[in-house]
Amino acid sequence: MSPASAGLLGRMSYRMMSRCLMLLVVSNWALKTVEAQEHRTVGVGSSVLLTALPIHYKTVIKHIQWEYINSTTTANIVDYYGTGTEPIIAKRYEDRVIFYSSNGSLLLKNVQETDNGTYRATINLNKIKARQTTLLVLEPLSKAQLQINSTVVGSPVELSCKVLVGKVQAIEWKKDGKPLPRNTCYQLSENFSLLYIPEAQKSDCGSFSCNASNDISWQETAANLTMEGIVPSSLKHALKMSTVALAISTILAAGSGLGFIILCCQSEKKKITGELWRWLVIFTHGLVCVSAILMFTAAVFWMWEEGLSTALVLYLIFLTWVIMVTLLLSVVLAICPQHLGMFKKKIMYRVILDTAAPGGVILVVLFAIFLTQNIQHLQRKGCSPLFDSTAAILIAAAISLLILLAPFVWYHRKKKSQEKDQQEGQHVELQELNVDPQAKNQD
Ligand SMILES: *[C@@H]1O[C@H](CO)[C@@H](O)[C@H](O)[C@H]1NC(C)=O
Ligand SMILES: *[C@@H]1O[C@H](CO)[C@@H](O)[C@H](O)[C@H]1NC(C)=O
Ligand SMILES: *[C@@H]1O[C@H](CO)[C@@H](O)[C@H](O)[C@H]1NC(C)=O
Ligand SMILES: *[C@@H]1O[C@H](CO)[C@@H](O)[C@H](O)[C@H]1NC(C)=O
Ligand SMILES: *[C@@H]1O[C@H](CO)[C@@H](O)[C@H](O)[C@H]1NC(C)=O
Ligand SMILES: *[C@@H]1O[C@H](CO)[C@@H](O)[C@H](O)[C@H]1NC(C)=O
Ligand SMILES: *[C@@H]1O[C@H](CO)[C@@H](O)[C@H](O)[C@H]1NC(C)=O
């Protein structure tokens, strides 16, 4: 190796070494500045302690300056010139900061959103060693609200998670306390504030919750998604009406069956006749009329939702006939029974009058069963609570039973009082007989 080439090598290695040194210095400086920079997020109203010296870094503070910097302004907060001097605090910050001269820390009290920005501490005029804290002041989130825009089975449903106050940074959804199931077709909007269910089913029923959060606070709220199998309330009314009509008709049918058996077994003498029979017929026909009217209304509601059909129209016509005949019969019997004979003259009229009530009961029972089955089937597609028909059935049955029994009770009482009257009458006659002779004597 020639000395010339050796000199060249030495120069090259010197260059490389100096470059390496430069790199080391730069990277070290970068490390220091990174260490001296801090990002903090705090809530409005809280207090923040800003530290001037990096951790484990000790130096004698001869001068320290705290500054506030944002995109538009730079402002002094504190100037401090070593022990024995008072820190000079800017007017704007006088009652809001506490400066600790021992370690140069600054306590910023009751921070507001306008305090967003960078706080820089320069120690002993050394800008490189200055420590910076970038402060983000956030409003704590207000209570979250979860809204559901539809509860109809098969329709698109949108759940929206809203927070009125504060900046939301993340939203997390849960169903029944667990993260959203992956295999479902739930879709989230870009910022996660909306949850779409393209075609909601019974399986989507449950408790949905959203947890809106930012760095300083979070708010969780939940709502129950209850899908309705039947939406129009008219169908719910139809269900109630046909249930009640069914109860009345069943009592009527059972009552007539029982009555028929009793009639057959009883002797000719004890047969129900006269006034009792009249009121029984009136109430029976009245009840048939009421249940037919209920059924008519329910059928109209059903037709309104499910469309017109020939069978339904025919059914409505038959029901109208039942309503008219039973109403006519009970009114005529109640007000002017003597006119009934007029209707009973022709055999045709007799048939019409006699078949109206049993025919009505059959019509009502059949269609009520059909309607309640169908509506309940619709209802089961959802998860809203089913209509509990027990109470309605019991009440309707009890009332119709009472109505049917009323004539018997009334008849029984009347008979009793008649007997009493008769007895009293005989008594009086006897007394009069006793008295008479005396009166004659006195004469
Ligand atoms: C910068 O700070 C000043 C003083 O606090 C404030 O009035 C101003 O709105 C701030 N500017 C921005 C962009 O935050
Ligand atoms: C600075 O001193 C104050 C008061 O003595 C103390 O509360 C604070 O924690 C100190 N800060 C650091 C970074 O040690
Ligand atoms: C402070 O920063 C937050 C988040 O970027 C922002 O919402 C808020 O408006 C800022 N406040 C001011 C006064 O600039
Ligand atoms: C609910 O929101 C979805 C999605 O935005 C929409 O398609 C649907 O029509 C809404 N339903 C109601 C009843 O507003
Ligand atoms: C999220 O996006 C929706 C529109 O997709 C918007 O209406 C809503 O305000 C946004 N919410 C937030 C917290 O940004
Ligand atoms: C809500 O989200 C925040 C932030 O992710 C989390 O700290 C918190 O525990 C969550 N709350 C619940 C009830 O899951
Ligand atoms: C949801 O339903 C459950 C059980 O029915 C009930 O305990 C809970 O309080 C409901 N939640 C809301 C937000 O209504």
Side-chain angles (χ1 to χ4, degrees):
M1 205 185 269
S2 70
S5 64
L8 192 71
L9 208 75
R11 268 207 301 264
M12 267 176 73
S13 65
Y14 170 73
R15 256 198 216 157
M16 266 170 74
M17 259 169 69
S18 67
R19 262 186 208 163
C20 281
L21 225 94
M22 272 261 291
L23 248 166
L24 245 161
V25 165
V26 166
S27 69
N28 196 27
W29 176 75
L31 220 82
K32 275 260 167 68
T33 45
V34 164
E35 194 190 277
Q37 283 208 352
E38 193 187 20
H39 286 268
R40 286 173 72 180
T41 309
V42 295
V44 166
S46 56
S47 297
V48 197
L49 183 69
L50 302 163
T51 52
L53 296 168
I55 315 150
H56 308 309
Y57 186 91
K58 291 257 184 291
T59 186
V60 179
I61 297 171
K62 286 184 220 129
H63 172 246
I64 186 165
Q65 182 191 37
W66 274 104
E67 286 168 302
Y68 167 73
I69 304 153
N70 71 10
S71 52
T72 52
T73 47
T74 303
N76 259 11
I77 306 173
V78 176
D79 269 300
Y80 174 67
Y81 295 94
T83 26
T85 59
E86 280 292 308
I88 304 156
I89 299 177
K91 261 221 155 61
R92 257 191 82 208
Y93 290 95
E94 250 170 7
D95 45 356
R96 300 182 48 215
V97 300
I98 295 176
F99 175 71
Y100 300 112
S101 49
S102 59
N103 56 18
S105 294
L106 188 74
L107 183 71
L108 194 57
K109 293 189 290 188
N110 188 22
V111 292
Q112 299 300 319
E113 274 190 335
T114 46
D115 292 327
N116 270 0
T118 303
Y119 294 80
R120 185 169 68 192
T122 312
I123 299 172
N124 303 340
L125 297 176
N126 189 346
K127 281 251 191 272
I128 287 175
K129 292 210 180 110
R131 187 173 168 83
Q132 292 191 356
T133 304
T134 304
L135 202 63
L136 177 59
V137 183
L138 288 179
E139 193 121 27
L141 296 179
S142 67
K143 211 154 172 41
Q145 290 168 344
L146 188 52
Q147 281 163 355
I148 298 171
N149 81 340
S150 163
T151 55
V152 185
V153 160
S155 73
V157 171
E158 182 186 289
L159 290 92
S160 74
C161 187
K162 279 199 188 112
V163 178
L164 296 181
V165 178
K167 194 178 168 196
V168 177
Q169 288 171 330
I171 293 181
E172 191 187 10
W173 288 88
K174 280 183 184 166
K175 179 169 186 275
D176 299 321
K178 290 181 215 112
L180 291 185
R182 289 222 170 272
N183 52 352
T184 47
C185 37
Y186 296 147
Q187 294 157 17
L188 290 167
S189 69
E190 224 166 297
N191 59 15
F192 285 61
S193 74
L194 302 174
L195 172 72
Y196 301 106
I197 309 173
E199 206 184 319
Q201 297 302 331
K202 194 175 182 173
S203 56
D204 298 318
C205 291
S207 161
F208 281 85
S209 69
C210 72
N211 178 5
S213 57
N214 61 23
D215 283 341
I216 56 151
S217 65
W218 58 269
Q219 290 284 346
E220 194 184 41
T221 186
N224 283 339
L225 181 63
T226 310
M227 303 308 299
E228 304 253 12
I230 46 171
V231 185
S233 52
S234 56
L235 278 190
K236 283 180 204 162
H237 294 321
L239 181 62
K240 285 175 198 163
M241 284 176 189
S242 44
T243 309
V244 170
L246 187 59
I248 296 176
S249 308
T250 314
I251 287 293
L252 277 175
S256 347
L258 207 68
F260 187 71
I261 293 169
I262 292 173
L263 274 185
C264 287
C265 299
Q266 272 185 337
S267 59
E268 193 71 20
K269 256 206 287 180
K270 274 198 168 175
K271 261 193 177 163
I272 303 168
T273 47
E275 280 291 276
L276 176 57
W277 179 251
R278 180 166 80 100
W279 284 106
L280 213 51
V281 172
I282 291 172
F283 284 144
T284 313
H285 281 75
L287 282 179
V288 173
C289 184
V290 168
S291 64
I293 289 173
L294 282 175
M295 220 47 236
F296 187 90
T297 323
V300 169
F301 279 149
W302 175 258
M303 197 166 76
W304 187 265
E305 296 305 331
E306 300 293 313
L308 213 67
S309 70
T310 325
L312 214 54
V313 171
L314 271 179
Y315 179 73
L316 286 180
I317 291 172
F318 275 123
L319 265 190
T320 315
W321 163 72
V322 169
I323 291 170
M324 275 167 36
V325 172
T326 49
L327 191 68
L328 187 80
L329 202 67
S330 39
V331 166
V332 166
L333 262 179
I335 298 170
C336 40
Q338 67 274 15
H339 289 320
L340 196 69
M342 199 175 75
F343 294 102
K344 290 225 167 178
K345 264 182 201 147
K346 274 197 184 170
I347 199 142
M348 180 61 183
Y349 291 162
R350 280 194 75 128
V351 168
I352 288 181
L353 289 183
D354 289 345
T355 52
V361 167
I362 293 170
L363 279 182
V364 167
V365 166
L366 289 182
F367 194 64
I369 290 174
F370 167 80
L371 258 196
T372 45
Q373 290 295 313
N374 273 281
I375 296 177
Q376 279 176 349
H377 175 70
L378 282 182
Q379 215 172 23
R380 282 201 197 92
K381 282 188 183 168
C383 55
S384 55
L386 295 185
F387 165 58
D388 183 15
S389 51
T390 326
I393 289 177
L394 285 183
I395 291 171
I399 290 176
S400 22
L401 254 184
L402 280 182
I403 290 176
L404 285 183
L405 287 180
F408 286 102
V409 175
W410 167 78
Y411 182 72
H412 190 67
R413 281 195 151 187
K414 202 178 155 192
K415 237 182 165 180
K416 253 198 171 169
S417 69
Q418 269 177 357
E419 273 170 16
K420 216 174 168 189
D421 282 353
Q422 265 178 6
Q423 273 177 2
E424 273 176 11
Q426 281 172 357
H427 203 67
V428 168
E429 266 172 36
L430 269 175
Q431 269 186 349
E432 274 176 4
L433 277 178
N434 285 346
V435 165
D436 272 352
Q438 279 178 356
K440 268 176 193 169
N441 281 355
Q442 273 176 0
D443 279 343

